[in-house]
Amino acid sequence: LAGGDDLPLVPAFDALGAGDRTLLRDAVHLDPTGSRLAIVARTAVSLYRLAVAGAPVLVASFPHPDGARVRVALGERYLARAVASGVVTVHDAGDGREVYSRPLREPDVRAIALFEGTGFVAVGGWYDRVHVHRFLGGEEPISFARHGSTSALAWLSDGPTLVVGGDGGVDLFRVRGGHVGHVGQASDVVGSLLVSPRGIHALDERHHRLWTLAYRGIRGLERVRVSEREIWALAVSGDAIFLGGKDGALRVFRPGQPLAEARVHTDGITSLALGGGFLATASDDRTIGVWDVSGREPRVTWRSRAHDFLVNALLLAGSPPSLWSSSSDGTIKHWSWPELEVVESLSTTALLGER
């Protein structure tokens, strides 16, 4: 990629961070068109169609054992679901119809990545392998061995190639060609991955370092220590890489320039969303900030008390784009973008029929 390869990119569906924070962030999913919403609850994954006016319409609900570890990826056409010690299933996002199902005997699942182009879904977790299912071809799943657990997955569309982050760094596997390359050492723990025209961006959570990797030959381009504390969120736009951390600071990294830092939040930044020259930041301080990032330095344009408790995730999708936020207070809110005015507020307990 960094060498000038004209390679189409696909979205990365990955787990940012670890433990309870990852589960909170991955509880709500929005499809790229902004027309469908998936909610992961204690006993089921529920898929909704978002109406122009009125409440979301339930498309289907997919049950799983109470308290099971579940990961979901929602694309334009399909919803993929992996249930630890259970199944990997793929459903038509339009009507909920099951199009694929295979057993998953692994006791844990931490990451899932969906590639709709040729029908692949990859699953990884607390085990020394990654499983790849071709849900449109009817083929048996294949597995790639790696040293250590997997925390993040993303697809590149040449082949396609699977990018795997976790214990020991980053590995690349080509579905038809096996292992392509590796970067990292035994002490590295990569928990986040993003793909951009500049390369593959990986966050080493143990050492608080940001890596940017070229694709061909997977050589390391840059490794920069970006914080003394945990980084919880990552976003890329052009030559700028935005990082939100536990200390509440928004950091901006550009090649060849000093690391920039801006502050508006009083607690950790949990999620980032980019669109149209603006960046949204969610925080444990219960607010959402919107920054103008069209210039060299980020500038706050709006900030609002968004929820009554922690803001866990931001999702930006649709045309024109809309912003969605989810919170530990049990609500999901729809916001105008980038003015940050509430369009609607949804109660997850009401949607799911829970008391």
Side-chain angles (χ1 to χ4, degrees):
L1 287 172
D5 299 292
D6 185 16
L7 179 65
L9 305 178
V10 297
F13 297 88
D14 65 283
L16 294 180
D20 292 341
R21 182 163 298 281
T22 301
L23 295 175
L24 290 170
R25 181 189 181 277
D26 287 349
V28 178
H29 300 262
L30 188 68
D31 85 319
T33 68
S35 61
R36 295 181 185 90
L37 186 74
I39 301 175
V40 183
R42 193 179 66 239
T43 60
V45 176
S46 298
L47 176 65
Y48 296 88
R49 182 170 59 253
L50 298 173
V52 176
V57 177
L58 180 64
V59 175
S61 186
F62 315 112
H64 53 254
D66 192 347
R69 187 174 287 264
V70 180
R71 288 290 182 269
V72 168
L74 180 59
E76 291 188 22
R77 292 173 290 163
Y78 299 100
L79 179 146
R81 178 182 64 127
V83 182
S85 300
V87 293
V88 175
T89 61
V90 180
H91 302 266
D92 186 298
D95 56 17
R97 175 178 51 89
E98 184 179 284
V99 298
Y100 179 87
S101 179
R102 289 290 189 280
L104 178 64
R105 296 182 176 87
E106 304 292 356
D108 179 46
V109 57
R110 294 184 171 187
I112 186 170
L114 175 65
F115 182 58
E116 295 185 296
T118 49
F120 288 102
V121 59
V123 178
W126 190 261
Y127 36 87
D128 293 342
R129 55 193 171 274
V130 176
H131 303 290
V132 177
H133 301 255
R134 187 168 189 180
F135 60 88
L136 294 182
E139 303 173 12
E140 287 301 307
I142 58 176
S143 297
F144 297 119
R146 67 183 307 271
H147 297 293
S149 64
T150 296
S151 300
L153 296 166
W155 286 103
L156 303 175
S157 56
D158 67 328
T161 299
L162 180 65
V163 187
V164 183
D167 292 349
V170 174
D171 289 281
L172 265 68
F173 299 95
R174 196 163 283 160
V175 172
R176 301 302 183 193
H179 193 255
V180 176
H182 170 83
V183 166
Q185 301 175 349
S187 63
D188 298 330
V189 179
V190 170
S192 304
L193 292 170
L194 279 180
V195 177
S196 82
R198 288 194 58 235
I200 300 165
H201 308 283
L203 187 63
D204 177 359
E205 294 183 339
R206 176 167 291 168
H207 303 112
H208 311 308
R209 293 186 302 192
L210 175 68
W211 303 357
T212 299
L213 313 171
Y215 171 56
R216 303 301 181 188
I218 193 171
R219 61 185 176 87
L221 292 183
E222 298 158 314
R223 296 191 192 201
V224 179
R225 187 174 178 86
V226 289
S227 176
E228 297 298 322
R229 303 186 68 184
E230 296 174 28
I231 295 296
W232 287 347
L234 183 67
V236 180
S237 177
D239 68 342
I241 302 174
F242 300 93
L243 306 107
K246 184 177 181 178
D247 60 0
L250 174 66
R251 293 177 173 84
V252 186
F253 171 74
R254 288 184 171 88
Q257 297 186 25
L259 189 69
E261 183 177 301
R263 290 181 180 268
V264 71
H265 294 292
T266 58
D267 211 334
I269 294 176
T270 57
S271 187
L272 302 174
L274 271 165
F278 292 91
L279 171 75
T281 53
S283 174
D284 278 349
D285 67 8
R286 310 179 188 186
T287 70
I288 295 175
V290 175
W291 308 68
D292 184 338
V293 292
S294 59
R296 301 302 296 179
E297 300 293 333
R299 179 176 57 85
V300 176
T301 56
W302 290 276
R303 184 175 179 231
S304 172
R305 171 70 177 264
H307 291 273
D308 292 332
F309 204 47
L310 313 179
V311 188
N312 299 321
L314 295 174
L315 307 162
L316 186 66
S319 182
S322 293
L323 182 72
W324 293 77
S325 62
S326 66
S327 169
S328 297
D329 66 7
T331 61
I332 301 170
K333 289 188 178 182
H334 179 195
W335 306 82
S336 62
W337 180 255
E339 296 84 4
L340 207 61
E341 296 179 355
V342 177
V343 177
E344 59 182 325
S345 179
L346 308 173
S347 165
T348 56
T349 54
L351 282 174
L352 299 170
E354 299 177 346
R355 294 184 180 274

